[in-house]
Amino acid sequence: MGFIADALNRVQPSQTIAVTTKARELKAAGHDVIGLGAGEPDFDTPDNIKEAAIKAIRDGQTKYTNVEGIPELKDAIVRKFKRENGLDYKPSQAFVAPGGKKVIFCAMMATLNPGDEVIVPAPYWVSYPDIVSLCGGTPVFVNTTLADKFKMRPEALEAAITPKTKWIIFNHPSNPTGAAYTAAELKPLTDVLMRHPHVWVLTDDMYEHLVYDDYKFVTPAQIEPGLYDRTLTMNGVSKAYAMTGWRIGYAAGPEVLVKAMTKLQSQSTSNASSVSQWASVEALNGPQHFLAERAKAFKDRRDLVVSMLNQAKGIECPTPEGAFYVYPSCAGCLNKETPKGRFIKTDEDFVTGLLEEEGVAVVQGAAFGLSPFFRISYATSTEALEESCRRIQRFCANLR
Ligand SMILES: Cc1ncc(COP(=O)(O)O)c(C=O)c1O
């Protein structure tokens, strides 16, 4: 019996942070390292949003607020869901937390009992299984494949559902693959969920605005209104408005759930930062034109990275619809040796070799529950992306 809670033993330390730490150490020791591990836009928060925060401070909006968010932000959330997703919510169905991650945590903590299962399609964002485990639930993974462009098959979803299934955590555009479902691809999945009325849907739409070409974003309750009464539609300002440090995530869903999440938040963090909430009112209500401009910059970077990676020997990289990640396979690089005599057996070996021999930091697929792949975040400069892809090409070409 140690001092630290058993619940914490069910949780893995973040492997994405481990890679970032190693890259930072190498950099500090004078090595030339390019980090492609970060999960945040390299753009700055737009000025109108910063100004709204400064005004809030000047106006004395510096006190506790309602636990579940200020009325002005809940109204902005209701308008956003109507305008962009065609979903009708009342302000009493809206919930604001210090970050999207905290929204998910509140939803799980407020609903899971020991033995409850939560379906998590793999590869997944690293935090889902750990949040589920911390809250006493059991993550159940549904694997996807490169051939399916990492999209879940309806029959695989159906097979994973048991009487104990409480939730599915659905995320698209996906971290780590960038995959996003079209309406036609999503409908067969919502059809499966309609056959299992005991399963609730937490949809993480965080990357909604980072979509490319003619892809049109859709969210489950929009495709299948029959799911509305058991869907928590989650979103946030972190990725779309380059506001990762402000810590604001939000959601809307059935009142009974929102009330339970509010109760939990009242005894944990209380309200999200008042100043950040006012900044988020401006983010959601203010001008939206820069979203398309930034998406265009991300699309150009995606195209560059996908094309250069597909020229690397042994790498196969599908073109994702959204987010700022690609998830190439390194299957063709396994069971080979680097010029320095390192044997590459797993994606973790590949990633370590790439970092130590070429100074490029990426994250192994094992961290996201599907190997042998690696994740690249292309939220960095074109020059850094070109140089790192050249190094990846050289690393792969030198494997024997
Ligand atoms: C899919 C996904 N959901 C949620 C989050 C968390 O966002 P926030 O910064 O609002 O907690 C992230 C951040 O990396 C993410 O990638």
Side-chain angles (χ1 to χ4, degrees):
M1 290 283 276
F3 181 63
I4 303 301
D6 292 347
L8 221 60
N9 290 333
R10 297 195 290 264
V11 172
Q12 307 294 318
S14 164
Q15 294 189 62
T16 45
I17 292 177
V19 173
T20 318
T21 309
K22 178 135 201 210
R24 202 176 298 128
E25 281 167 10
L26 282 171
K27 226 174 194 165
H31 294 274
D32 165 23
V33 174
I34 307 177
L36 302 180
E40 60 184 347
D42 55 326
F43 297 113
D44 197 6
T45 306
D47 283 341
N48 63 309
I49 298 174
K50 290 182 181 172
E51 290 303 329
I54 293 165
K55 180 172 184 311
I57 294 173
R58 294 223 166 93
D59 289 351
Q61 303 289 357
T62 52
K63 304 287 205 290
Y64 291 130
T65 75
N66 288 349
V67 168
E68 79 289 356
I70 55 175
E72 291 81 356
L73 183 51
K74 290 196 288 178
D75 284 346
I77 291 165
V78 166
R79 274 199 296 276
K80 176 261 178 281
F81 280 130
K82 182 70 184 161
R83 178 178 77 232
E84 294 177 350
N85 310 106
L87 293 174
D88 285 302
Y89 288 111
K90 296 193 289 260
S92 56
Q93 294 178 277
F95 179 78
V96 180
K101 193 182 264 185
K102 176 80 192 319
V103 173
I104 303 169
F105 190 86
C106 284
M108 293 300 126
M109 194 75 183
T111 56
L112 293 183
N113 290 312
D116 285 345
E117 294 176 355
V118 178
I119 294 177
V120 178
Y124 43 75
W125 178 45
V126 287
S127 295
Y128 298 143
D130 287 343
I131 292 174
V132 169
S133 300
L134 261 180
C135 296
T138 306
V140 172
F141 302 111
V142 177
N143 279 353
T144 60
T145 64
L146 176 93
D148 289 341
K149 292 187 75 184
F150 307 111
K151 293 180 195 177
M152 199 171 27
R153 287 187 177 233
E155 58 273 23
L157 171 60
E158 183 109 50
I161 296 174
T162 76
K164 290 183 180 168
T165 309
K166 197 144 199 179
W167 286 96
I168 174 171
I169 302 184
F170 183 76
N171 161 232
H172 85 141
S174 153
N175 178 2
T177 66
Y181 295 73
T182 62
E185 289 167 337
L186 196 51
K187 187 68 173 63
L189 296 171
T190 57
D191 287 347
V192 170
L193 293 167
M194 285 306 287
R195 289 199 286 277
H196 300 275
H198 66 292
V199 180
W200 281 56
V201 183
L202 193 166
T203 178
D204 178 342
D205 299 349
M206 210 40 127
Y207 294 92
E208 164 179 17
H209 288 294
L210 299 166
V211 293
Y212 316 120
D213 306 321
D214 48 9
Y215 171 81
K216 168 116 186 45
F217 178 81
V218 278
T219 191
Q222 185 183 13
I223 289 294
E224 178 47 82
L227 288 174
Y228 177 88
D229 287 335
R230 51 185 166 109
T231 296
L232 184 68
T233 304
M234 184 214 129
N235 214 310
V237 294
S238 291
K239 315 286 173 169
Y241 301 95
M243 292 175 70
T244 46
W246 299 75
R247 311 308 305 131
I248 295 288
Y250 61 85
E255 262 176 34
V256 58
L257 174 63
V258 168
K259 279 209 176 95
M261 290 164 65
T262 303
K263 185 174 169 187
L264 181 69
Q265 183 150 281
S266 77
Q267 293 296 18
S268 50
T269 51
S270 292
N271 61 272
S273 149
S274 57
V275 175
S276 296
Q277 289 191 66
W278 281 102
S280 302
V281 170
E282 174 63 17
L284 296 182
N285 287 347
Q288 307 289 313
H289 60 84
F290 64 90
L291 293 174
E293 289 158 22
R294 290 182 173 187
K296 169 78 176 73
F298 277 129
K299 176 202 153 16
D300 292 345
R301 294 167 178 186
R302 177 203 65 176
D303 291 345
L304 169 80
V305 169
V306 169
S307 142
M308 286 188 77
L309 286 173
N310 279 320
Q311 290 165 39
K313 202 170 155 221
I315 302 290
E316 188 182 350
C317 185
T319 304
E321 292 84 355
F324 39 67
Y325 308 106
V326 291
Y327 200 67
S329 162
C330 56
C333 299
L334 301 187
N335 300 315
K336 294 188 175 169
E337 215 173 275
T338 68
K340 291 193 179 162
R342 175 193 305 273
F343 188 69
I344 311 272
K345 201 166 159 37
T346 63
D347 51 18
E348 191 160 2
D349 298 335
F350 178 87
V351 160
T352 311
L354 188 61
L355 178 58
E356 291 183 1
E357 300 188 19
E358 288 288 355
V360 179
V362 299
V363 186
Q364 68 276 20
F368 308 99
L370 197 73
S371 293
F373 296 90
F374 60 101
R375 186 193 78 174
I376 286 183
S377 161
Y378 55 82
T380 188
S381 72
T382 306
E383 298 73 46
L385 291 172
E386 275 173 351
E387 174 59 17
S388 50
C389 287
R390 268 197 296 274
R391 293 186 192 183
I392 293 172
Q393 289 174 352
R394 186 168 61 205
F395 183 72
C396 295
N398 285 338
L399 295 174
R400 290 290 173 265

